[in-house]
């Protein structure tokens, strides 16, 4: 089949060229139209429900909202994990589905069950499914700047900017944070209200029934008809004041008689502050899952330009996070590396082939293979991102292997054919045909080694599957080109006649011959050195740190601040601003925008004591050191701030951690058990133990934290005597503090809520609150303290559930040390120091969990890949001994990889493991090139000694070319400094280091091993 | 004059055209053989044949009277072929049919 393909290509050369041009054009189009993002889509199928339960404590939220929903949701098929968090007034329930579950199906399942259970929840609970977003969805963040008040800015965001941006394709929603949401505020005067014998419930009912425009039908007026419209909707404060709430004996009671009416704001659950100066209003654009982030950002940017023209004078939008910056820098890093690698590869080709025409033909396969890869990527729905393009950068040296072998053989054959009258095309065909099997087998072997990456699960699977797919696509493209376009171009471009050895080979060959002579003379020394290499590799493996992934520098820093749980929102904002002023003392810090508490949509429902401070750094040219130095300076600046505990992360990193474990941090220790007090005690013990281990930069838990409550234990008998039902009393209390929603005022497109709420002074005076007089349905005025026992008490800040079980969480951030080493030590320490009562268990999760899972999976699938490679070798060579000798090459390839990793101070991470996988393929390929030639020489009747010596000398060039081109193709990744280079660098270090030892041992040890073990006694006898 | 064994060597894909031309001029039985020619002269070869170094040819044989040869060669020459046809004629010294 492959032979027919080569023959067909050479028979229809013009068609092949035309097809190549067409494919190149389509590939270029595909590249231009590929969705672009910084990362691949790493989101699992996750459905989030956010429910707001105004005024409810975490325990109330747990028992009245979360528990009924969990009961309903637990039966949904394909469910992986059900996580819930109960906080003050917020229930956050997240369901992770198994990989492959369709997000729309999953949302439908959840929505059906949620609608069934909503009727059983308290009436004040509102909310539902969160938008379809991912950890990468926060693509654009901005503040509104100008002379307007916070309320006006918020109104501008809510009613002008947000609706405009929501229509941009790919935008899931626009989260509004900070400022004040304008309301029509009705503050009943309780004394006046008591005088009329009315209650807040009467006011609420009156507003609801007195706020409507409606039509009554049509009237006939002569030949015309009139549409009857009854106008009764509230539009102004005056309308509210004149609203009649009761009418007795011809006298009316208007709302203005019993309440103060004005413009107020909704109770705030969060705020935004900026640069330690003032509060701000922030908009956050959330991209739809699967949307092309670059296109979304472009669309948002264009729409904002239009919207800005309509904003009031001196008001503008200040963008402080734009994902396209990161995308451009990440993609730019890879594109730059690709370009540099291509230039290096072309230079090496000219050096090794000594023929610029041959070098040009081989080099032409590089862009062509890349363009074919883009076509495949488009077909498979892969996006162009750090990982997929990184795969291409990794493969660049391997892409030319097939073309090099084909061109080299054609050059050699045409060199011998100058006095032959056979058609030139036949020589090209014969030369290609001779190497079809080794070229195909070699490329299949390299593709096979990358297939285990497709078996990775979880985050690592989502990150590295695009790498593997891109490499496999690129290799498939390169094989197709090597068997079609390369022979066609060679038939047009290469000249017949003798080609001498290039300069570089004339320099290297005699030295290699001398080295080989010395090695064959001192075989024991070679064996000894090889064994010593393996021992050193073993020692280096033990010494090198292990981690999941190097941290990618996103360019921005998030400083998470945790304050006392009982802190009020206003005090929390003051603390945030103090922290911002401290951060701004670091010269590298440009801006700090901090968000405290819950957002509008509730995607990130933090408490008032939790703050995410977004730090925008100045350009890197203005820094005094690297990113670690800057973070260190920020940490120093934050030291000693009373009641504020900082931790440092990055925007995407933070969201990925949250998505995976529901918690932030490198390590998330979950302690499961039923009793809150015991959980808090155990969490405290674990926190102290983790803090004492070196490498822990921050260890946090909120399990021990508590908030102060003013608890009203309703005395049923006393309340009953006053004729006050429990629910009426609770509603009345909520109306005084949180406020109750009584309707909407429509102002054009704006919807302004009407809120009934208590006096401001009442909200800040617990004693006055206890003395509050409420009117019962029976018309009696009763004091709150007469119907309930009022006392100060304490309760939990939040309650976490996983699959229906309560747990306490301890989060740890690790820096300056490998994660696995830290976790191993931490596990041993916790096992020794923390005694778990019956019914309690500890689960270790976070980034560390991914590393463990990836290692376990690789340990399983790499041997399978090796077995497959062994079968390919066996099918190609038809010799068990030869195949085993080639596989023996692998451990020696690993020596250089692990030693270079150790020497460079990098950790053994998943990308480094990918480097080892690539190394494995190249080592096997080089071994195959040599051994196949040894066997060919043996079949030609040469002695074993002559075969291995001559074979090694003759195959020096292809082996050196393959190794050096692959290694030099990765050199740009070694020195790249943009975002994403952190992920590629360990891989490049492993491959380059490994190729040095692998090539050396392939060229020196393998001939010796083949001579000794390559043939059985019977084979030698037959030969 | 003895009968002649007339052989036309043509490209395999031209067989039907050549046979039709012969059939129009003669009723003699026609024998067709597929042959592979490892030639050294590729001037008549198609690109695919140059690639493989192998000429895919067919030999069309028929026994005709001496005076019919010129007419048959002319008929083949005028047929709508793609590639050149080589021909030769040798006398048939003896022939028979053994039951």
């Amino acid at each position: 089949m492959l032979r027919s393909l080569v023959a067909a290509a050479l028979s229809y050369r013009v068609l092949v060229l035309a097809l190549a041009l067409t494919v190149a054009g389509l590939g270029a189009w595909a590249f231009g139209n590929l969705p672009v993002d910084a990362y691949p889509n790493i989101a699992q199928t996750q459905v989030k429900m956010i429910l707001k339960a105004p005024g409810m404590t975490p325990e109330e939220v747990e028992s009245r909202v979360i528990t009924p929903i969990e009961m309903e949701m637990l039966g949904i098929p394909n469910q992986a994990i059900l996580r819930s968090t109960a906080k003050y007034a917020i229930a956050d329930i997240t369901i992770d589905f198994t990989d492959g579950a369709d997000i729309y199906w999953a949302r439908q399942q959840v929505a059906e069950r949620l609608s069934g259970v909503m009727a059983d929840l308290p009436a004040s609970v509102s909310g539902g499914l969160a938008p379809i977003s991912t950890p990468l969805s926060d693509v654009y963040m901005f503040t509104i700047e100008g002379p307007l008040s916070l309320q006006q800015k918020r109104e501008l965001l809510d009613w002008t900017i947000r609706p405009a941006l929501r229509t941009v394709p790919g935008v899931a929603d626009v989260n509004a944070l900070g400022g004040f949401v304008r309301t029509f505020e009705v503050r009943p005067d309780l004394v006046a209200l008591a005088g009329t014998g009315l209650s807040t419930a009467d006011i609420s009912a009156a507003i609801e029934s007195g706020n409507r425009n409606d039509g009554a039908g049509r009237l006939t007026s002569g030949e015309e008809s009139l549409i009857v419209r009854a106008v009764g909707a509230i539009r102004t404060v005056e309308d509210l004041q004149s609203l009649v709430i009761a009418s007795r004996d011809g006298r009316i009671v208007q709302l203005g008689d019993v309440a103060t009416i004005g413009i107020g704001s909704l109770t705030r659950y969060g705020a935004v502050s900026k640069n330690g100066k003032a509060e701000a209003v922030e908009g956050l654009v959330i991209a739809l899952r699967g949307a092309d982030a670059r296109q979304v950002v472009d669309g948002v940017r264009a729409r904002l330009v239009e919207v800005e023209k309509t904003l009031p004078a001196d008001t503008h939008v200040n963008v402080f996070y734009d994902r396209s910056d990161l995308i451009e820098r990440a993609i730019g890093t890879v594109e730059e590396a690709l370009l540099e690698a291509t230039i290096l590869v072309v230079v090496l080709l000219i050096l090794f082939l000594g023929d610029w025409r041959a070098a040009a033909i081989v080099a032409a396969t590089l862009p062509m293979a890349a363009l074919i890869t883009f076509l495949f990527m488009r077909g498979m729905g892969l996006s162009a991102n750090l990982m997929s393009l990184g795969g291409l950068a990794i493969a660049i040296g391997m892409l030319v292997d097939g073309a090099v072998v084909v061109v080299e053989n054609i050059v050699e054959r045409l060199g011998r054919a100058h006095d032959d009258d056979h058609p030139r095309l036949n020589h090209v065909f014969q030369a290609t045909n001779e190497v079809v099997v080794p070229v195909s087998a070699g490329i299949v072997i390299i593709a096979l080694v990358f297939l285990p990456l497709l078996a990775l699960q979880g985050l690592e699977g989502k990150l590295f599957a695009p790498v593997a797919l891109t490499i496999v696509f690129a290799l498939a493209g390169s094989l197709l080109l090597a068997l079609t376009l390369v022979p066609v171009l060679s038939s047009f471009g290469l000249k017949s006649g003798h080609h001498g050895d290039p300069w570089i080979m004339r320099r290297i060959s005699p030295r290699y011959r001398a080295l080989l002579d010395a090695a064959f003379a001192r075989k024991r020394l070679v064996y000894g050195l090889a064994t010593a290499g393996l021992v050193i590799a073993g020692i280096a493996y033990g010494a090198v740190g292990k981690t999941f992934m190097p941290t990618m520098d996103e360019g921005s820093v998030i400083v998470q601040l945790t304050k006392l749980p009982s802190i009020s929102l206003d005090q929390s904002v003051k603390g945030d601003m103090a922290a911002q002023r401290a951060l701004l003392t670091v010269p590298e810090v440009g801006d700090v925008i901090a968000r405290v508490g819950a957002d509008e949509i509730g995607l990130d429902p933090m408490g008032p004591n939790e703050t995410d401070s977004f730090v925008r750094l100045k350009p890197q040219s203005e820094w005094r050191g690297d990113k670690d130095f800057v973070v260190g300076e920020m940490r120093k600046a934050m030291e000693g701030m009373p009641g504020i505990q900082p931790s440092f992360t990055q925007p995407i990193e933070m969201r990925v951690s949250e998505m995976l474990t529901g918690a932030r941090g490198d390590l998330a220790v979950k302690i499961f058990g039923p009793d809150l007090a015991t959980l808090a005690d155990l969490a405290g013990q674990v926190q102290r133990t983790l803090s004492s281990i070196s490498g822990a930069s921050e260890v946090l838990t909120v399990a021990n934290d508590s908030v102060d409550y003013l608890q009203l234990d309703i005395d049923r008998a006393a309340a009953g005597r006053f004729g006050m039902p429990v629910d009426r009393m609770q509603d009345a209390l909520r109306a005084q503090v949180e406020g109750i929603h009584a309707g909407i005022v429509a102002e054009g497109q704006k919807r302004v809520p009407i809120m009934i709420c208590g006096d401001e002074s009442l909200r800040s005076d617990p004693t006055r609150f206890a003395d509050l007089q409420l009117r019962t349905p029976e018309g009696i005025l009763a004091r709150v303290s007469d119907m309930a026992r009022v006392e100060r008490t304490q309760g939990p800040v939040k309650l976490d559930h996983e699959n229906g079980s309560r747990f306490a969480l301890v989060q740890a951030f690790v820096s300056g040390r490998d994660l696995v080493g830290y976790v191993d030590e931490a596990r041993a320490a916790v096992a020794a120091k923390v005694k778990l009562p019956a019914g309690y268990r500890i689960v270790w999760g976070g980034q560390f969990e991914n590393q463990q899972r990836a290692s376990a999976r690789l340990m399983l699938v790499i041997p399978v890949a090796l077995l497959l490679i062994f079968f390919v070798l066996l099918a190609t060579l038809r010799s068990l001994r030869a195949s085993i000798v080639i596989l023996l090459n692998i451990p020696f390839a690993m020596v250089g990889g692990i030693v270079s990793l150790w020497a460079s101070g990098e950790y053994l991470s998943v990308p480094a493991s990918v480097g080892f996988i690539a190394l494995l393929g190249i080592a096997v390929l080089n071994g195959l090139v040599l051994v196949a030639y040894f066997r060919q020489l043996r079949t030609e009747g040469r002695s074993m000694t002559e075969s291995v010596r001559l074979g090694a000398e003759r195959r020096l060039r292809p082996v050196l070319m393959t190794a050096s081109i692959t290694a030099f193709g990765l050199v740009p990744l070694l020195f790249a400094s943009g975002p994403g280079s952190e992920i590629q660098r360990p891989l490049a270090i492993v491959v380059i280091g490994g190729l040095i030892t692998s090539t050396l041992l392939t060229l020196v040890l393998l001939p010796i091993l083949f001579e000794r073990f390559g043939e059985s006694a019977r084979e030698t006898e037959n030969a | 004059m003895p009968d002649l064994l007339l052989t036309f060597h043509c490209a395999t894909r031209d067989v039907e055209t050549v046979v039709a031309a012969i059939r129009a001029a003669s009723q003699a039985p026609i024998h067709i053989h597929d042959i592979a020619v490892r030639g050294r002269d590729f001037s008549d070869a198609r690109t695919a044949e140059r690639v493989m170094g192998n000429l895919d040819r067919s030999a069309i044989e028929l026994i005709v009277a001496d005076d019919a040869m010129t007419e048959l060669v002319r008929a083949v020459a005028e047929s709508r072929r793609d590639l050149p046809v080589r021909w030769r004629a040798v006398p048939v010294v003896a022939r028979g049919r053994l039951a």
Side-chain angles (χ1 to χ4, degrees):
Chain A
M1 191 183 78
L2 296 173
R3 184 184 144 92
S4 307
L5 179 67
V6 178
L10 283 167
S11 301
Y12 301 99
R13 291 187 294 170
V14 177
L15 182 65
V16 168
L17 289 179
L19 275 176
L21 284 175
T22 311
V23 167
L26 286 173
W29 170 83
F31 180 60
N33 288 284
L34 276 179
V36 182
D37 209 335
Y39 278 121
N41 182 12
I42 50 176
Q44 58 212 99
T45 307
Q46 191 175 69
V47 181
K48 208 173 174 67
M49 285 162 275
I50 307 286
L51 293 120
K52 292 185 176 175
M56 281 195 199
T57 63
E59 280 166 310
E60 287 296 306
V61 171
E62 183 194 40
S63 63
R64 297 181 66 191
V65 182
I66 284 182
T67 304
I69 293 177
E70 276 184 347
M71 286 298 139
E72 194 69 23
M73 299 293 164
L74 276 170
I76 295 181
N78 297 329
Q79 193 180 122
I81 297 177
L82 171 61
R83 283 196 299 260
S84 319
T85 300
K87 290 184 177 179
Y88 170 68
I90 285 173
D92 175 359
I93 303 156
T94 306
I95 304 177
D96 287 349
F97 286 83
T98 48
D99 276 343
D102 178 63
I103 181 73
Y104 293 99
W105 172 85
R107 285 176 71 86
Q108 191 189 349
Q109 295 295 314
V110 173
E112 278 174 11
R113 283 163 175 79
L114 184 64
S115 63
V117 77
M118 277 303 267
D120 300 336
L121 303 181
S124 58
V125 172
S126 63
L129 267 58
I132 308 176
S133 63
T134 71
L136 299 174
S137 285
D138 297 352
V139 292
Y140 204 80
M141 301 180 198
F142 57 88
T143 52
I144 297 170
E145 305 293 336
L148 301 179
S149 69
L150 284 172
Q151 196 173 68
Q152 288 168 318
K153 284 179 183 171
R154 179 62 190 258
E155 201 160 282
L156 202 61
L157 177 61
D158 284 342
W159 300 109
T160 306
I161 299 173
R162 189 176 179 214
L165 294 185
R166 285 184 77 173
T167 59
V168 174
V171 171
D173 212 331
V174 178
N175 211 347
L177 306 113
F180 296 89
V181 176
R182 184 164 66 96
T183 59
F184 282 85
E185 201 169 78
V186 179
R187 289 187 177 174
D189 176 342
L190 294 177
V191 177
L193 202 59
T196 58
L198 295 166
S199 66
T200 46
D202 296 320
I203 294 178
S204 179
I207 294 173
E208 208 166 305
S209 59
N211 182 20
R212 199 169 82 165
N213 285 351
D214 210 349
R218 289 175 190 270
L219 292 178
T220 305
S221 169
E223 292 179 351
E224 296 181 338
S225 70
L226 298 171
I227 298 170
V228 183
R229 181 181 178 222
V231 178
I234 295 164
R235 281 175 296 186
T236 61
V237 170
E238 288 72 32
D239 287 347
L240 267 173
Q241 282 171 333
S242 60
L243 190 75
V244 175
I245 51 174
S247 166
R248 289 181 200 133
D249 307 325
R251 290 176 59 205
I252 55 169
V253 180
Q254 290 181 302
L255 187 55
D257 300 333
V258 293
T260 313
I261 297 154
I263 298 296
S265 62
L266 277 183
T267 304
R268 297 206 299 169
Y269 285 88
V272 173
S273 51
K274 188 179 173 186
N275 289 339
K277 290 175 186 161
E279 282 196 41
V281 171
E282 178 189 332
L284 194 161
V285 179
I286 301 162
L288 204 60
R289 181 192 171 102
D292 181 343
R294 192 170 59 173
Q295 272 184 11
V296 173
V297 171
D298 286 347
V300 167
R301 227 186 268 146
R303 187 61 54 87
L304 273 178
V305 170
E306 290 168 22
V307 171
E308 273 198 298
K309 290 174 194 160
T310 66
L311 298 182
D314 298 330
T315 303
H316 65 276
V317 166
N318 175 40
V319 179
F320 65 91
Y321 182 75
D322 181 339
R323 173 65 56 74
S324 61
D325 291 344
L326 175 66
I327 293 171
E328 271 162 32
R329 284 187 300 126
I331 301 298
T333 306
V334 184
E335 284 178 347
E336 202 177 304
L338 266 170
L339 188 69
E340 289 167 3
T342 307
I343 294 168
L344 280 171
V345 167
V346 172
V347 170
L348 281 170
L349 285 171
I350 295 173
L351 271 177
F352 275 105
L353 291 173
D355 179 346
W356 71 267
R357 287 165 182 269
I361 290 167
V362 175
T365 60
L366 275 178
M368 281 300 297
L371 292 170
I372 292 174
T373 309
F374 297 139
L375 267 181
F376 275 120
M377 285 168 69
R378 169 114 191 137
M380 292 287 289
L382 287 179
S383 66
N385 55 58
L386 196 63
M387 304 307 285
S388 57
L389 293 185
L392 205 55
I394 294 161
I396 201 137
M398 304 171 204
L399 294 186
V400 294
D401 284 354
V404 163
V405 176
V406 170
V407 167
E408 199 205 18
N409 213 36
I410 294 173
V411 167
E412 195 267 339
R413 191 160 179 121
L414 287 177
R416 283 193 278 120
H418 60 284
D419 54 352
D420 191 344
D421 55 1
H422 257 66
R424 183 183 161 77
L425 278 175
N426 184 238
H427 285 300
V428 174
F429 171 71
Q430 293 298 345
T432 312
N433 192 37
E434 278 170 11
V435 292
V436 158
V437 172
V439 163
S440 309
I443 291 178
V444 166
I445 284 170
I446 296 185
L448 272 180
V449 297
F450 283 100
L451 287 184
L453 294 183
L454 294 178
L456 290 176
Q457 301 162 301
L459 176 64
E460 62 280 11
K462 292 186 176 74
L463 281 174
F464 285 94
V467 176
L469 281 175
T470 315
I471 292 176
V472 171
F473 293 155
L475 287 172
S478 81
L479 178 61
L480 186 70
L481 291 167
L483 302 184
T484 54
L485 187 64
V486 170
V488 168
L489 289 176
S490 300
S491 72
F492 283 120
L494 292 182
K495 285 184 173 173
S496 301
H498 181 68
H499 294 73
D501 271 348
W503 172 84
I504 194 163
M505 291 313 297
R506 290 201 302 274
R507 308 286 297 173
I508 295 174
S509 292
R511 288 171 174 77
Y512 173 57
R513 205 171 297 124
L515 177 69
L516 213 53
D517 286 341
F520 270 90
R522 299 175 190 81
K523 288 178 188 166
R524 283 175 186 278
L525 180 65
V526 175
Y527 290 141
L529 285 173
T531 313
L534 287 178
V535 172
I536 292 170
I539 296 167
Y541 180 78
V544 79
K546 282 112 195 149
T547 192
F548 173 58
M549 285 275 280
T551 307
M552 186 181 101
D553 178 11
E554 297 174 30
S556 308
V557 177
I558 297 256
V559 186
Q560 295 177 297
L561 308 177
T562 312
K563 286 152 275 184
L564 287 173
S566 52
I567 197 165
S568 70
L569 185 65
D570 290 340
Q571 283 305 314
S572 191
V573 172
K574 282 181 187 165
D576 289 345
M577 291 209 270
Q580 288 159 22
R581 286 190 288 274
L583 285 170
L584 283 165
T585 60
V586 178
E588 286 81 4
V589 173
D591 286 307
V592 189
I593 292 110
R595 207 181 97 193
V596 59
D599 55 333
E600 190 65 15
I601 297 174
L603 277 180
D604 189 13
M606 298 187 293
N609 64 323
E610 295 167 298
T611 302
D612 287 344
S613 303
F614 191 99
V615 179
R616 197 161 57 158
L617 298 172
K618 288 179 181 167
Q620 205 161 353
S621 55
E622 297 176 31
W623 294 6
R624 291 167 294 164
D626 60 3
K627 180 89 175 279
D628 287 342
F629 170 81
V630 176
V631 170
E633 289 294 297
M634 285 196 269
R635 198 172 264 132
K636 268 189 226 164
M638 296 288 297
E639 264 171 19
M641 295 207 71
I644 295 180
Q645 197 176 12
S647 59
F648 293 80
T649 181
Q650 303 182 91
I652 296 176
E653 192 186 348
M654 176 178 81
R655 294 278 176 236
V656 170
S657 292
E658 283 175 347
M659 175 195 76
L660 291 175
T661 59
R664 300 160 177 187
D666 298 322
L667 174 64
V669 184
K670 290 174 181 171
I671 307 155
F672 286 88
D675 181 58
L676 281 176
T678 314
L679 284 176
D681 176 45
L682 290 170
Q685 292 181 45
V686 171
Q687 185 192 20
R688 282 191 294 279
T689 311
L690 294 185
S691 303
S692 66
I693 295 165
S694 83
S697 58
E698 286 104 20
V699 182
L700 317 165
T701 182
V702 293
N704 280 317
D705 295 340
S706 56
V707 284
D708 292 333
Y709 289 19
L710 185 70
Q711 187 161 310
L712 282 76
D713 276 335
I714 297 171
D715 182 337
R716 291 177 191 279
R721 275 194 291 276
F722 286 111
M724 177 64 104
V726 171
D727 63 337
R728 288 290 289 268
M729 184 172 168
Q730 286 168 335
D731 288 346
L733 291 173
R734 185 175 302 129
Q736 292 301 322
V737 186
E738 177 76 26
I740 54 172
H741 188 264
I744 288 284
V745 175
E747 293 179 350
Q749 286 188 327
K750 297 177 192 170
R751 296 283 181 272
V752 184
I754 303 170
M755 298 298 295
I756 302 172
C757 54
D759 191 58
E760 189 63 44
S761 60
L762 192 71
R763 287 192 244 179
S764 54
D765 187 348
T767 317
R768 254 197 82 195
F769 184 75
D771 285 340
L772 187 69
Q773 289 187 325
L774 302 175
R775 186 169 191 87
T776 68
E778 292 186 7
I780 304 167
L781 266 182
R783 205 178 291 276
V784 169
S785 53
D786 291 340
M787 295 184 283
R789 193 172 67 254
V790 182
E791 60 176 347
R792 270 177 182 261
T793 177
Q794 289 193 323
V797 180
K798 67 168 188 167
L799 295 164
D800 292 311
H801 281 197
E802 195 166 287
N803 291 337
S805 304
R806 266 184 185 171
F807 71 89
L809 177 72
V810 184
Q811 300 148 264
F813 292 83
V814 178
S815 68
R817 187 178 174 185
D818 68 303
L819 187 56
V820 176
Y822 176 84
V823 174
D824 286 344
E825 200 178 326
R827 284 181 121 163
V830 167
K833 292 180 186 169
V834 181
K835 299 285 170 244
L836 292 176
Y840 290 79
R841 64 193 167 92
I842 288 183
V843 174
W844 298 75
Q847 289 266 17
F848 140 83
E849 203 178 3
N850 304 327
Q851 195 274 340
Q852 297 283 296
R853 191 178 53 228
S855 292
R857 187 42 74 117
L858 286 174
M859 288 297 159
L860 187 74
V861 291
I862 287 180
V864 175
L866 281 174
L867 199 66
L868 287 174
I869 291 169
F870 177 68
F871 288 144
V872 174
L873 287 175
L874 210 54
T876 312
L877 297 171
R878 296 176 197 281
S879 162
L880 186 66
R881 279 173 167 262
S883 306
I884 291 172
V885 167
I886 292 174
L887 288 182
L888 276 179
N889 207 22
I890 293 172
F892 300 111
M894 304 300 159
V895 172
I898 195 78
V899 171
S900 56
L901 206 58
W902 179 48
S904 64
E906 291 277 350
Y907 296 140
L908 179 59
S909 54
V910 177
S913 305
V914 176
F916 280 111
I917 286 172
L919 199 54
L920 191 149
I922 304 160
V924 171
L925 183 65
N926 279 344
L928 178 65
V929 168
L930 269 192
V931 169
Y933 199 61
F934 295 161
R935 286 170 56 79
Q936 188 187 323
L937 292 175
R938 288 288 286 147
T939 54
E940 287 172 9
R942 295 178 194 268
S943 71
M944 179 56 110
T945 310
E946 192 189 357
S947 296
V948 292
R949 295 292 296 273
L950 194 65
E953 285 171 25
R954 285 196 186 164
R955 288 291 152 183
L956 175 66
R957 182 162 78 165
V959 169
L960 279 184
M961 276 183 86
T962 314
S964 58
I965 287 174
T966 307
F968 277 89
L970 291 172
V971 164
L973 295 180
L974 208 58
F975 297 106
S977 58
S981 58
E982 306 86 354
I983 296 174
Q984 315 286 5
R985 193 174 299 119
L987 187 150
I989 288 172
V990 167
V991 176
I992 293 171
L995 276 174
I996 294 170
T997 54
S998 161
T999 310
L1000 196 65
L1001 290 160
T1002 301
L1003 290 172
V1004 178
L1005 183 65
L1006 191 64
I1008 297 173
L1009 284 176
F1010 191 81
E1011 188 191 30
R1012 172 71 183 81
F1013 304 106
E1015 284 179 358
S1016 64
R1018 207 181 61 191
E1019 282 173 320
T1020 310
E1021 208 171 281
N1022 289 341
Chain B
M1 284 292 286
D3 287 343
L4 297 174
L5 172 63
L6 184 57
T7 308
F8 292 96
H9 291 281
C10 67
T12 302
R13 61 180 171 160
D14 286 338
V15 166
E16 289 309 316
T17 314
V18 173
V19 167
I22 295 169
R23 180 60 63 233
S26 168
Q27 292 302 309
I30 297 170
H31 298 253
I32 303 166
H33 314 277
D34 281 339
I35 51 172
V37 182
R38 293 289 157 88
R40 297 180 77 83
D41 175 7
F42 284 86
S43 56
D44 291 351
R46 286 182 299 130
T47 314
E49 289 168 338
R50 288 168 200 259
V51 169
M52 304 300 284
N54 189 39
L55 301 172
D56 289 331
R57 292 286 176 266
S58 291
I60 303 167
E61 292 176 340
L62 68 166
I63 295 172
V64 292
D66 175 43
D67 55 356
M69 187 186 76
T70 313
E71 172 63 15
L72 280 169
V73 171
R74 190 181 54 76
V76 171
E78 288 173 359
S79 66
R80 296 170 65 86
R81 297 162 287 106
D82 283 347
L83 289 173
V85 173
R86 293 160 193 267
W87 67 275
R88 69 169 181 269
V90 292
V92 178
V93 177
R95 61 174 168 166
R97 177 174 181 273
L98 302 174

